[in-house]
């Protein structure tokens, strides 16, 4: 071996390389790949597994229980650190690899970095077909890992040791690029993982990837300033890009100077504190009355770091002013051009700062500011009523659960949710006190995300109280990472809400003529319908069996006490509460398009179609 090479296996070289990669933004440096999650099996145990043992001092390892949930944990970690640090996930060939697909889709849809390292077939085909290998009759180079191609921002199958060098560099480039980031997959044939090669020492040198803050184009900036100055009723829609860019202070300065109000998507909530005079809360189907009322009459919608998903912003039906125009500040041209908008393709913080400089002295009218502040005051009363309704000795409603949690959390606690009826209630009602408190995964709205994501958040922010809010349906999807929280000594708090079924989709089923079919956890009758008493399933006992401390709360008073106890505990703790299933949250303020059967014999579906036809008539394309 020469002085400028080092003989290692491909897997060993990859681990050493990853341990020397860093990001830097605004003078702050972080490990790009801070640790590796893994479940070992056929396809990675002898390659990546051995390398992680070999270099355990430079690459922390975390043992997971489910491949999908390991990706969720890594995504929660990356989001908490504003995409400046990520984690890797290694799996076996076969089912271990295909279990990554859902997590990879979630990461890419939400623009969050994660490195996936699934095992693969023998590149040499010397053992062919091997255990768990998919044989394709006409494409011998296809494996199950090819299912990861459409959900990855970068994909490569490393079929020779030397091919790792350009592939690994491209992988890091994508992970660190704020406009391109998402899931990155390096499929690793198992014979190549174990094959030795003389690697150039430069491959293992410390490398820093600068996370750019691109400035706006002067021509686009001038047009944006003109659009804002000429608008009488502008409205900012703050998306997740505000958080990723750490642009919260820049947004506050911009709003304080101009008086333009802010509504937020699920990913953008918390961009302003809930008590800021211009913070109107959520927008869209799950938005507040004040946000959606202003959206209907806005003549300029300023999207900052948002993708305008149909459900989140009701973008096809909500913005009804015939003269409405859009101005989108986004780091990707792909998102900036949505809704035929004027574009400002740049970093969110940089763009807001440049806009503020160019708009010196501009401010919305006093009448407009008074209008939205009065609407905000009215909505604050709605929130307070929802949180405090009922007496302390009653079985709590879901909104009372949120009220009890609101009374317990501190400004820096993190509340995590992803699916079910909770996201709607949270988007309308939660009072965010800090930029990272509200952690909703709603790009993919993936059941099972909350518990593993909570682990990732606690790894990223040790000492921060973390609350994973899960319904019974979500809990049953993926409770196994409770064991990981126990093993890692992470005091994750789970609020487990039992309402005996899929509450959110049950309501949607009823609204669209499905009559809540298949959405309740009930015994099946002889005719195939679900009737009778709830199933005798004890989810609290299940959580206890996985190692959590469990507190059962039957009343609002007991719930508040249990939440306070959980927050003070240094152990993984589950607060279990069976809620009154009656809906108590304010109704939806905007409509979103869920197709209804155009023809049906059952009365519920016929009536649902009539409602649908009335609503869909208001849909428009913004051109």
């Amino acid at each position: 071996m020469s002085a400028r090479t080092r003989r290692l296996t491909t897997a060993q070289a990859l681990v050493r390389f990853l341990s020397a990669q860093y990001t830097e933004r605004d003078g702050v440096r972080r490990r790009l790949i801070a640790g590796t999650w893994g479940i070992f099996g056929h396809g990675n145990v002898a390659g990546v597994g051995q390398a992680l043992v070999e270099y355990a001092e430079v690459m922390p390892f975390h043992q997971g229980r489910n491949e999908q949930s390991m990706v969720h944990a890594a995504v929660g970690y990356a989001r908490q650190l504003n995409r400046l640090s990520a984690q890797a996930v290694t799996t076996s060939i076969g089912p271990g690899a295909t279990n990554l697909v859902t997590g990879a889709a979630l990461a890419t849809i939400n623009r969050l970095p994660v490195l996936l390292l699934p095992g693969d077939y023998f590149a040499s085909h010397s053992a062919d077909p091997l255990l768990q290998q998919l044989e394709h009759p006409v494409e011998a180079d296809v494996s199950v890992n090819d299912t990861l191609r459409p959900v990855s921002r970068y994909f490569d199958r490393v079929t020779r040791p030397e091919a790792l060098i350009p592939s690994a560099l491209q992988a890091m480039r994508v992970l660190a690029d704020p406009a391109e980031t998402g899931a990155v997959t390096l499929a690793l044939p198992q014979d190549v993982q174990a094959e030795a090669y003389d690697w150039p020492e430069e491959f293992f040198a410390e490398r820093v990837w600068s996370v750019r803050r691109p400035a706006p184009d002067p021509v686009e900036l001038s047009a944006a300033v003109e659009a804002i100055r000429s608008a009488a009723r502008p409205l900012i829609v703050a998306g997740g890009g505000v958080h990723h860019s750490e642009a919260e202070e820049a947004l506050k300065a911009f709003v304080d100077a101009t008086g333009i109000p802010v509504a937020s998507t699920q990913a953008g909530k918390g961009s302003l504190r809930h008590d800021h005079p211009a913070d109107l809360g959520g927008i869209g189907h799950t938005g507040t009355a004040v946000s959606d009322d202003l959206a209907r009459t806005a003549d300029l919608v300023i999207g900052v770091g948002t993708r305008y998903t149909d459900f989140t912003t009701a973008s096809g039906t909500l913005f009804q002013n015939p003269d409405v125009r859009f101005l989108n500040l986004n780091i990707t041209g792909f998102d900036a051009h949505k809704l035929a908008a004027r574009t400002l393709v740049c970093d969110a913080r940089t763009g807001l700062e440049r806009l503020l400089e160019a708009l010196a002295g501009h401010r919305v009218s006093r009448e407009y500011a008074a209008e939205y502040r009065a609407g905000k005051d009215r909505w604050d009363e709605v929130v307070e009523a929802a949180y405090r309704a009922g007496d302390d000795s009653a079985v709590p409603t879901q909104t009372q659960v949120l009220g009890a949690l609101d009374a317990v959390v501190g400004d820096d606690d993190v509340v995590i949710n992803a699916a079910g009826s909770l996201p709607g209630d949270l988007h309308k009602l939660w009072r965010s006190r800090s930029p990272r408190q509200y952690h909703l995964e709603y790009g993919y709205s993936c059941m099972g995300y909350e518990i593993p994501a909570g682990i990732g958040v606690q790894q990223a922010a040790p000492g921060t109280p973390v609350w994973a809010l899960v319904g019974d349906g979500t809990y049953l999807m993926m409770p196994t990472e409770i064991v990981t929280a126990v093993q890692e000594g992470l005091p994750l708090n789970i609020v487990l809400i039992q309402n005996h079924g899929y509450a959110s989709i049950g309501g949607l089923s009823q609204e669209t003529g499905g009559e809540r079919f298949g959405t309740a956890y009930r015994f099946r009758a002889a005719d195939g319908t679900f009737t009778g008493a709830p199933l005798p399933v004890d989810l609290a006992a299940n959580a206890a069996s996985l190692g959590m401390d469990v507190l059962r709360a039957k009343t609002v008073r007991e719930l508040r006490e249990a939440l306070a106890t959980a927050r003070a505990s240094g152990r993984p703790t589950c607060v279990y509460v069976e809620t009154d299933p009656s809906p108590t949250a304010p109704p939806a303020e905007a409509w979103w398009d869920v197709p209804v059967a155009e023809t049906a014999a059952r009365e519920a579906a016929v009536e649902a179609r009539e409602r649908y036809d009335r609503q869909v008539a208001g849909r428009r394309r913004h051109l």
Side-chain angles (χ1 to χ4, degrees):
M1 183 177 71
S2 74
R4 295 188 57 78
T5 63
R6 190 185 311 186
R7 191 163 182 80
L8 301 173
T9 69
T10 303
Q12 291 165 357
L14 176 59
V15 172
R16 289 296 303 186
F17 169 83
L18 294 177
S19 71
Q21 307 303 302
Y22 293 84
T23 64
E24 186 172 85
R25 186 171 71 180
D26 303 330
V28 178
R29 183 175 296 190
R30 295 184 182 274
R31 277 276 295 266
L32 176 50
I33 304 299
T36 298
W37 287 90
I39 297 175
F40 294 115
H42 175 62
N44 70 336
V45 65
V48 174
Q50 189 282 325
L52 288 168
V53 173
E54 189 88 10
Y55 296 115
E57 77 281 2
V58 296
M59 180 56 68
F61 174 73
H62 310 290
Q63 183 183 47
R65 270 74 198 173
N66 177 283
E67 292 85 359
Q68 176 183 322
S69 65
M70 291 193 298
V71 184
H72 293 338
V75 166
Y77 177 92
R79 176 171 170 172
Q80 181 68 22
L81 294 176
N82 298 317
R83 308 191 298 190
L84 298 174
S85 185
Q87 294 176 322
V89 178
T90 179
T91 72
S92 64
I93 187 176
T98 52
N99 279 353
L100 295 173
V101 174
T102 296
L106 181 149
T108 295
I109 286 171
N110 286 285
R111 284 32 171 201
L112 292 166
V114 60
L115 177 61
L116 308 180
L117 305 173
D120 215 318
Y121 55 55
F122 276 51
S124 65
H125 292 279
S126 57
D128 191 32
L130 70 157
L131 179 64
Q132 299 179 327
Q133 180 178 344
L134 172 73
E135 291 184 273
H136 196 287
V138 296
E139 295 181 271
D141 62 340
V142 167
S143 81
V144 295
N145 285 329
D146 288 277
T147 60
L148 288 160
R149 289 182 184 270
V151 293
S152 297
R153 293 292 290 168
Y154 178 79
F155 178 99
D156 193 18
R157 179 174 288 112
V158 183
T159 56
R160 290 293 306 143
E162 59 268 32
L164 176 66
I165 295 175
S167 185
L169 291 169
Q170 287 288 354
M172 298 303 103
R173 177 191 66 79
V174 173
L175 288 171
D177 190 322
E180 292 193 38
T181 196
V184 168
T185 300
L186 297 181
L188 302 172
Q190 50 195 299
D191 54 345
V192 177
Q193 289 182 45
E195 187 175 345
Y197 181 74
D198 292 331
W199 302 88
E201 283 288 350
E202 293 85 354
F203 186 55
F204 306 113
E206 185 176 293
R207 191 179 302 267
V208 179
W209 301 85
S210 178
V211 180
R212 301 186 302 277
R213 288 195 180 278
D217 175 83
V219 174
E220 288 193 336
L221 180 62
S222 178
V225 169
E226 179 184 354
I228 295 172
R229 286 190 179 277
S230 62
R233 301 181 64 82
L235 173 67
I236 293 171
V237 175
V242 175
H243 295 309
H244 298 329
S245 177
E246 298 175 305
E248 296 90 357
E249 287 302 316
L251 177 64
K252 181 177 182 299
F254 182 84
V255 170
D256 287 345
T258 64
I260 300 175
V262 176
S264 55
T265 68
Q266 288 280 14
K269 193 172 170 75
S271 296
L272 291 179
R273 270 186 63 101
H274 74 92
D275 52 3
H276 190 284
D279 180 67
L280 308 184
I283 192 170
H285 182 70
T286 57
T288 68
V290 58
S291 287
D292 288 353
D293 283 348
L294 257 67
R296 291 185 185 94
T297 59
D299 57 358
L300 180 68
V301 178
I302 307 169
V304 183
T306 178
R307 298 185 298 122
Y308 288 108
T309 56
D310 179 61
F311 184 89
T312 302
T313 57
S315 50
T317 54
L318 182 57
F319 305 111
Q320 287 298 318
N321 186 327
D323 298 320
V324 66
R325 293 294 181 264
F326 295 83
L327 167 64
N328 292 338
L329 192 166
N330 203 291
I331 201 165
T332 71
F334 178 84
D335 290 317
H337 280 87
K338 290 178 178 175
L339 301 176
R342 293 180 183 270
T343 61
L344 204 59
V345 181
C346 60
D347 170 75
R349 192 172 87 181
T350 303
L352 287 167
E353 290 171 347
R354 298 292 174 85
L355 278 173
L356 181 57
E357 292 171 4
L359 283 165
H362 176 75
R363 191 169 181 84
V364 300
S365 70
R366 286 193 294 270
E367 293 78 11
Y368 184 51
E371 176 188 342
Y372 71 68
R373 288 178 180 176
K376 175 181 172 62
D377 289 342
R378 290 192 297 272
W379 187 257
D380 286 344
E381 293 174 1
V382 171
V383 173
E384 191 65 27
Y387 277 3
R388 310 303 174 204
D391 64 78
D392 283 2
S393 61
V395 173
T397 64
Q398 186 162 281
T399 53
Q400 287 176 313
V401 172
L402 299 185
L405 185 61
D406 173 80
V408 168
V409 300
D411 283 7
D412 295 324
D413 290 32
V414 178
V415 176
I416 302 176
N417 190 237
S421 58
L422 275 166
D425 292 357
L426 284 160
H427 200 205
K428 292 188 189 83
L429 302 174
W430 188 257
R431 302 190 281 208
S432 298
R433 307 173 194 179
S434 61
R436 279 293 168 210
Q437 181 169 87
Y438 188 87
H439 184 125
L440 260 285
E441 188 291 296
Y442 223 53
Y444 211 39
S445 188
C446 185
M447 296 177 72
Y449 172 81
E450 296 90 340
I451 294 173
I455 292 171
V457 169
Q458 288 204 309
Q459 288 177 329
T464 299
V466 177
W467 304 87
L469 275 55
V470 296
D472 46 2
T474 289
Y475 181 86
L476 287 167
M477 286 276 182
M478 201 171 293
T480 50
E481 297 311 317
I482 286 174
V483 177
T484 304
V486 172
Q487 180 178 12
E488 298 259 342
L490 298 172
L492 175 68
N493 297 311
I494 295 175
V495 180
L496 176 51
I497 299 173
Q498 171 68 277
N499 55 24
H500 303 289
Y502 301 114
S504 174
I505 209 68
L508 182 61
S509 171
Q510 183 172 350
E511 178 66 21
T512 57
E515 303 177 46
R516 294 185 178 266
F517 177 74
T519 63
Y521 298 150
R522 305 281 173 169
F523 287 102
R524 186 187 291 272
D527 63 358
T529 59
F530 291 93
T531 60
L535 297 176
V537 176
D538 191 339
L539 299 183
N542 178 264
S545 75
L546 296 176
M548 296 202 92
D549 294 343
V550 175
L551 305 171
R552 297 176 184 255
K554 295 182 179 180
T555 66
V556 175
R557 182 184 298 107
E558 290 178 2
L559 176 62
R560 279 199 294 266
E561 293 170 355
L563 293 171
T565 300
R567 190 174 188 274
S569 173
R571 289 251 319 141
T573 303
C574 173
V575 176
Y576 173 87
V577 57
E578 188 161 354
T579 58
D580 180 340
S582 304
T584 53
E589 295 289 337
W591 182 81
W592 69 302
D593 195 338
V594 179
V596 176
E598 192 167 3
T599 181
R602 297 181 68 86
E603 183 178 352
V606 172
E607 292 177 353
R609 182 66 195 197
E610 291 173 353
R611 292 193 298 271
Y612 176 83
D613 288 338
R614 289 194 299 271
Q615 294 282 2
V616 79
R619 187 173 58 196
R620 61 186 292 196
R621 293 190 183 276
H622 298 283
L623 298 172

